[in-house]
């Protein structure tokens, strides 16, 4: 499997590396770790492969190229298959997120795990805050950075998840395959980069949501 390493990406933890694959079978899968080797091992494990089955074909260094860089592979036009894979991942993830949030009583939505570590920039501590963060990221970060319309945030978290999901689906369905932008403070973005990040983000946060929910239901 071809892997693409973003050294020092600092996503899950400040300064960590991220390893991605663009293979459709594992579209939107990202491994992370304190260095490149750890990130590649995490990617291989997530794809249920041995580390020897992962071949690094491109590496970018955020320390040298700046925040939110792109791989050369991101500069290719997005394919119909990549668009379809993104939508399929989003549909599955949003259904799970909504089911969890709809079933959660107020005590679960307000739960904050005192032992959970977040990057310095993160402010989404509770279950409800994390659910809003999923919609904030897709509707008010990824899409606008590509020059696409943002949407206002709904007050209710279930409504927000529903409306944001519908907004993202409509936008992805109509997405031009070759958009590219560059921002002084937010780095470079392309159609392919936004699709892979959309396919990655909610799945990772959903794992955290599920753990937080279980921690409330099964304390100790």
């Amino acid at each position: 499997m071809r892997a693409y390493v973003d050294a020092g990406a600092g996503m899950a933890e400040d300064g960590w590396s991220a390893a991605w694959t663009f293979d459709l079978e594992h579209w939107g899968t990202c491994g992370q770790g304190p260095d490149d080797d750890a990130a590649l091992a995490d990617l291989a494990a997530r794809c249920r492969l041995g580390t020897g089955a992962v071949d690094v074909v491109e590496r970018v260094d955020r320390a040298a190229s700046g925040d939110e860089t792109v791989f050369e592979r991101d500069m290719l036009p997005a394919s119909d298959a990549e668009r379809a894979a993104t939508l399929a991942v989003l549909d599955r993830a949003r259904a799970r997120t909504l089911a969890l949030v709809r079933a959660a009583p107020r005590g679960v939505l307000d739960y904050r795990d005192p032992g959970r570590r977040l990057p310095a920039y993160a402010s989404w501590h509770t279950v409800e805050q994390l659910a809003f963060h999923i919609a904030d990221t897709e509707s008010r970060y990824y899409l606008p950075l590509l020059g696409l319309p943002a949407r206002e945030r709904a007050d209710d978290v279930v409504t927000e998840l529903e409306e944001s999901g519908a907004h993202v689906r409509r936008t992805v369905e109509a997405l031009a395959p070759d958009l590219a932008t560059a921002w002084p403070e937010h780095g470079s973005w392309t159609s392919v980069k936004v699709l892979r990040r959309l396919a990655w983000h909610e799945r990772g946060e959903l794992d955290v949501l599920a753990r937080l929910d279980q921690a409330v239901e099964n304390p100790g």
Side-chain angles (χ1 to χ4, degrees):
M1 182 180 72
R2 294 163 296 181
Y4 300 73
V5 175
D6 188 352
M11 293 162 58
E13 297 278 353
D14 292 331
W16 276 26
S17 292
W20 295 85
T21 178
F22 288 75
D23 290 7
L24 279 175
E25 182 182 359
H26 305 291
W27 183 249
T29 302
C30 175
Q32 299 185 56
D35 55 35
D36 292 2
D37 288 342
L40 287 164
D42 186 40
L43 175 66
R46 291 176 182 275
C47 296
R48 299 183 179 180
L49 298 171
T51 54
V54 177
D55 179 27
V56 177
V57 296
E58 187 177 351
R59 183 182 186 274
V60 295
D61 188 339
R62 191 161 298 195
S65 56
D67 190 37
E68 284 293 5
T69 187
V70 294
F71 300 109
E72 289 185 13
R73 174 62 177 78
D74 283 311
M75 302 301 292
L76 296 177
S79 68
D80 289 342
E82 289 165 349
R83 186 196 312 270
T86 302
L87 290 171
V89 169
L90 288 173
D91 285 348
R92 291 192 298 269
R94 187 53 44 92
R96 289 183 57 206
T97 302
L98 278 167
L100 189 154
V101 172
R102 285 182 178 129
R106 189 73 250 172
V108 171
L109 292 175
D110 291 337
Y111 176 69
R112 174 174 177 168
D113 180 1
R116 179 168 163 248
R117 294 176 56 190
L118 288 171
Y121 59 82
S123 60
W124 38 94
H125 300 280
T126 69
V127 170
E128 184 174 65
Q129 288 170 347
L130 184 54
F132 270 120
H133 165 66
I134 290 170
D136 287 336
T137 300
E138 63 189 16
S139 279
R140 287 173 288 280
Y141 184 61
Y142 289 158
L143 297 185
L145 284 178
L146 203 52
L148 300 168
R151 52 173 296 281
E152 292 296 322
R153 192 202 241 201
D155 293 331
D156 173 72
V157 66
V158 171
T159 302
E160 173 61 11
L161 288 168
E162 292 174 336
E163 293 182 354
S164 181
H167 170 72
V168 171
R169 169 167 269 282
R170 289 192 300 269
T171 305
V172 168
E173 288 174 340
L175 180 69
D178 55 355
L179 297 179
T181 61
W183 304 79
E185 67 277 28
H186 296 301
S188 299
W189 295 80
T190 68
S191 296
V192 170
K193 179 177 177 178
V194 165
L195 289 179
R196 69 173 168 87
R197 291 286 286 268
L198 283 169
W200 160 76
H201 184 254
E202 185 170 5
R203 285 187 295 181
E205 300 294 18
L206 184 53
D207 290 342
V208 179
L209 278 175
R211 289 198 299 270
L212 291 173
D213 181 60
Q214 290 171 2
V216 181
E217 296 295 327
N218 304 287

